[in-house]
Amino acid sequence: SVDDQCSNDIPCGQSDSDSFFCDFQIGATSGGYCVACEGRHTSFCREDQVMLSEAARIDCEEKCALISCPEPCAEGYFCTHVNYPDGPCQPCETLVVHPDACALDSRPEAGLEACMETCPPRACSKRRHCLTNDASTKFFCNFASDDVVLLFRPDDADESDDEEPMGTCEPCAGLKSTDGCSDRSSSELGSQECMEVCEAVIVTSCDTNDDCTKDRFFCNDNSTVCEECPSILKGDWHVDQCFDAEIMSLSDAASQNNCAESCHTECLEMSEGFISVEGLVDISYTIPMRGSQYASVSGPLVNCQLGGAGECPADAPDDFVCLVKRGVRKFSDKVLNCEESGGIATINFNTDPTNKIGKASVRDAPIETPVTTISYDDGLYLLEKGLGLETKVDVKKVGNDCNRGCSDRVPCPSSPRSWYCDYDLVTQGYCKQCGLDDDEQRVECFLSGLSLKGAQECADTCESTLAAPSCKICGKGISGGSLQSAAEDEAQCNFCPDGLKKSHFDREIPFIGSNATCFKLNQFFLNYQIAENDDNCQLALNFNYICDCEGPGYAGANSDAKRRALVWMPRVSGIVSFLSSSAIIVDVVRDKKKRKKLYGQLMLIMSVFDLMGSAAYSLTTLPIPKEYFIEGSKGSDATCTAQGFFIQMGTIAAFINVSLAVYFYWVIKLSWTETKIRKFRLWLFLSPITVGLTFAFAGIPFYDMLFLWCNNSAAWWPEIPIVISIIVTTCIMVAICWDVYKTEKATRQYSRRNIRDSMTSMVFWQSIWYLLSFYITWPPYLAL
């Protein structure tokens, strides 16, 4: 099953309905989990790079391999060699209008050969056009004669087909002008059809690209004619192939450069749909088909079964909406039958029980109504509850999806905004624009599955690093230059040495930013070969505890005992500080003399603010958001911010220590009286409190988890006032000590009396003891 574990020694099993490959999510040697191929062929293995590591892609390409047909296909069918859910044999009639059209769809070489050998030119009429999904490649209906002749009648044709001229589909390719249509056609009617259909793709002579006025045409300098750029819809074509003479047959540099200049960008229309069934349900999960008309229409919902001719009810009301089930015939045939029956819109519901909706096309027919697709469950619900109800179908264009190819030979534009090449195809890729917010850009560059070269270019061009800028403990972060830092014989970083558990795939690592999951970070180290001794590897290993992986743990705590110690050591010291400050407050409040003295008042206010900080510290990890998986964390962003705010409020105690040192300086050094000092009383209180409150409120956007508690996570400015306080206090105390020393030295020359018990000396020693706690508390605060 999909949940089975697998490795090189234990491959995934196969079922009757599907194949499975190993995603090697745990590691290239350790293995991973089985994933279903779901009928997708091997191009899926390379396209879905977000999901697959290199080891997984190799296994995917082997297990989801293109398959051979076990038996010869039935008449009118050809072997696609693609692992489709309903088998590799597919009908020529519904897929191919002409052998030359076989190459328009992405097929393996063997499937392309089988298509060209098996499928004849398709029968056509005025109603049955020779359209393909590639609007740039034209086929016209070469009517056999101007008379009414039925050369072919499909199973779902009605009697009206007998009254139409019939013919076979022929390519427009190679026509130099509409004059050549008469040579290509079997009748006057066929020639007229050729001129109408093929005019858009007839070649134009040129000397430069400027002579090719049609969009996505370039000048072939060798033949001096304008040629149409190949379309990415044709398969694996990329603008870099302009320089490949075997693919584009461009042998001269001028033609190759002209091709690259004109063919690097292709845009596809983007549309969205909405269905509203009156009084029943609104369906927004719907995908309009390519080639659908943009319109908003309403009508009663009618069951048209599988969309065949005559399958809509004969007594259906006017202007109804067709509900058809996928299968049996082409989408375009279903829609044409709906329109001929009087339908004004078509809702096609899928047959995939997983409710996936793929993109489909009706560009191979002249569709005149809106067409959209809904899921299997929604289709069954409408069949049961919605028939006959007024149903609104709204299909509208929402813009263009443009892809600009790039490679070393076809660089991305550099201005006005930065673009980088994602190298999605290893040596080639598509241009993507920088400018996402920091978190999104970080995920895009490092965790979206870009190739190594693409990740490097994205990181360098967009100046992105794999570290949250608000994270103090995240170091410099992984830049583009850090990728592929492991030498050939050097050990690579293993983010999760004991294997990432599937239950932890979606855990987010908040240090890096939103959407950075354990799955993505593990893939990052599996894909990009970071050296084991690289600083960034060691940094990431400090975060892998979130993914329940073996490692050093946060702050060196790699065991439950150590993690509990990190919680309780600061908690105990915070409680002791809280009790000490409480004792000072009680002592000053109870003593009337101390309450009146400025010194006692300073001690009281300093202890009040220290009480706030100590209380916040004693909570340690409790207010930390629980998504950080820190021992004892049970909080949220709000509780983390509150703890950080009150810890910052506690720093006011440090600033009041400066006022206290100034007070001692005035008393000891300047011999000011209490009365004189009281004139400056307001400033001794107002200055430290104002500074502290300013920094506490300024830090609100920056309060974040710092492992032991929440505090200001900004890079440097929160510590500036503390550093200044330490420097100022130290300078004042040195000045006081030097003054006391000089005074006592001079006094000893004229007096034999012991001055140890003098008032100045007593105040000095008293200030030393009070400020000793300042030096014990605040330098360690800066260090943490």
Side-chain angles (χ1 to χ4, degrees), residues 438-457:
D438 289 342
D439 279 351
E440 290 177 339
Q441 193 65 67
R442 188 176 301 112
V443 171
E444 177 68 26
C445 289
F446 295 101
L447 304 178
S448 67
L450 292 177
S451 65
L452 174 63
K453 192 170 184 178
Q456 289 172 328
E457 179 149 330

Side-chain angles (χ1 to χ4, degrees), residues 247-258:
I247 294 177
M248 288 296 295
S249 302
L250 302 175
S251 56
D252 59 297
S255 297
Q256 293 173 350
N257 290 328
N258 286 345

Side-chain angles (χ1 to χ4, degrees), residues 702-713:
F702 303 97
Y703 294 131
D704 206 348
M705 192 283 301
L706 296 179
F707 286 131
L708 304 184
W709 47 67
C710 294
N711 206 343
N712 195 318
S713 63

Side-chain angles (χ1 to χ4, degrees), residues 633-680:
S633 62
K634 298 183 182 298
S636 62
D637 289 339
T639 59
C640 186
T641 298
Q643 183 186 39
F645 178 81
F646 282 105
I647 286 177
Q648 284 294 308
M649 290 288 287
T651 62
I652 295 177
F655 309 148
I656 295 178
N657 263 297
V658 177
S659 295
L660 198 60
V662 171
Y663 172 82
F664 290 140
Y665 182 84
W666 287 341
V667 170
I668 299 172
K669 169 69 175 170
L670 303 182
S671 300
W672 285 10
T673 63
E674 185 82 7
T675 302
K676 186 174 181 178
I677 293 175
R678 281 184 177 277
K679 294 179 182 180
F680 302 94

